[in-house]
Amino acid sequence: MLRILITNDDGIDALGIKKLAEAALTLEDAEIYVVAPSEEKSGVGHGLTYRSALSPEERDFYGMPVKAWAINGNPADCVKAAYHLLFEENQKPDIVLSGINVGTNLGRDIYYSGTCSGAREAVILGMPGVALSYDNWEDQENYGDVVEMIRPLIQAFCEKAKRDTLPPEVFWNVNIPHLPLKEVKGILPAALSLHHYEDRYHQEAEGYFLTRTYPDGIPLAEPQDYHLLKHGYIAVTPVHIDATDKALLREMEEWPLVKAWGERG
């Protein structure tokens, strides 16, 4: 039996998590658990709840044959609490799916995204994690053919998870174009596009609101997530949770200050 844990950052009542559960339920021999925030938690990053108690509430989930709980916390809380409280030691989830997010999580979004933090927390706890986001920010109630698009991806990840062939310490960031299935050009590996937008603050009566500006032209010069997505591809990025710059670490051994300190001993 394949155990799948589903979470998100848009809240347990969001349409995207329903679509993700629908796709997961098409898999054979799968047991689905949904543990998600009781309200929207977009942009919370990898925040954890320490100063207040978590109170899981068992929920019906659209009448689907899944076990579901809402938690008064963030996506990382949901995964961590589910891991420690819901599952026995020898019955941990085989994989965690986080999403489907309203709008994309591209480039440096992975550091702010609650969706990505759900997948990242899974990897921290030793489980494979996949974050899924859909480019429908301007059309949030329309999930089009997304279930059909992600079904083969989810199946591939779940099969690898079942065989224990996914690399440790890596979560997968998936971004899906808002297109009919027949217009999607394919699935491609993608690097993070770290500089595809600029932050701007817009002043209104209440104060300043953070906004973004995006480039007009989108050339497909490099296989980066933003550019591939805008050219009609599903972009899949493996994100390592160890952010140590190993090459720079070795270079630091030659820094005069480091060498001098070592010579004191």
Side-chain angles (χ1 to χ4, degrees):
M1 177 70 70
L2 182 74
R3 289 180 295 277
I4 301 174
L5 174 60
I6 294 177
T7 193
N8 74 343
D9 74 352
D10 290 322
I12 195 167
D13 296 317
L15 182 56
I17 197 170
K18 176 176 181 286
K19 294 295 183 181
L20 182 53
E22 288 175 2
L25 282 168
T26 65
L27 302 175
E28 293 183 5
D29 198 30
E31 190 172 55
I32 313 297
Y33 298 82
V34 175
V35 182
S38 53
E39 58 186 29
E40 184 184 354
K41 292 290 184 175
S42 298
V44 298
H46 208 100
L48 293 175
T49 301
Y50 292 104
R51 293 178 174 83
S52 58
L54 296 178
S55 302
E57 176 191 353
E58 193 163 3
R59 295 276 295 270
D60 173 73
F61 191 75
Y62 298 101
M64 295 183 184
V66 307
K67 299 176 182 178
W69 288 262
I71 290 185
N72 56 323
N74 300 323
D77 288 319
C78 292
V79 176
K80 188 181 289 290
Y83 179 88
H84 288 288
L85 303 176
L86 182 58
F87 298 95
E88 298 293 334
E89 186 63 35
N90 60 345
Q91 293 184 330
K92 301 299 185 184
D94 296 292
I95 192 167
V96 175
L97 306 177
S98 185
I100 301 168
N101 190 64
V102 169
T104 57
N105 279 302
L106 299 158
R108 59 185 185 268
D109 291 342
I110 66 166
Y111 299 103
Y112 313 127
S113 163
T115 303
C116 291
S117 77
R120 186 186 296 109
E121 181 64 26
V123 174
I124 290 172
L125 294 170
M127 302 174 290
V130 183
L132 301 107
S133 303
Y134 189 47
D135 191 16
N136 67 333
W137 180 253
E138 304 297 333
D139 192 13
Q140 296 189 16
E141 296 303 312
N142 182 1
Y143 275 80
D145 299 327
V146 72
V147 172
E148 289 76 16
M149 291 183 204
I150 67 171
R151 186 183 294 123
L153 261 176
I154 290 176
Q155 183 173 2
F157 279 121
C158 286
E159 287 176 356
K160 287 180 177 293
K162 202 169 184 178
R163 297 197 302 268
D164 197 25
T165 57
L166 287 170
E169 300 186 347
V170 169
F171 77 87
W172 303 86
N173 191 40
V174 179
N175 282 278
I176 306 148
H178 188 30
L179 295 171
L181 179 59
K182 63 182 180 182
E183 295 181 20
V184 176
K185 296 179 181 178
I187 301 170
L188 288 178
L192 295 175
S193 178
L194 295 177
H195 305 292
H196 66 272
Y197 65 82
E198 294 184 6
D199 290 328
R200 293 283 187 272
Y201 279 93
H202 175 68
Q203 186 176 10
E204 296 188 12
E206 304 94 325
Y208 294 89
F209 289 87
L210 181 62
T211 60
R212 294 176 176 177
T213 60
Y214 293 86
D216 293 329
I218 309 171
L220 191 56
E222 297 182 57
Q224 295 181 342
D225 53 7
Y226 176 75
H227 304 86
L228 289 173
L229 182 84
K230 294 304 180 182
H231 280 265
Y233 294 94
I234 297 173
V236 182
T237 303
V239 181
H240 206 291
I241 64 169
D242 183 355
T244 306
D245 188 324
K246 301 295 178 59
L248 187 55
L249 199 64
R250 290 189 293 272
E251 181 183 320
M252 287 174 62
E253 294 174 0
E254 300 302 317
W255 286 10
L257 178 62
V258 173
K259 294 183 73 173
W261 197 271
E263 290 168 359
R264 293 174 56 186

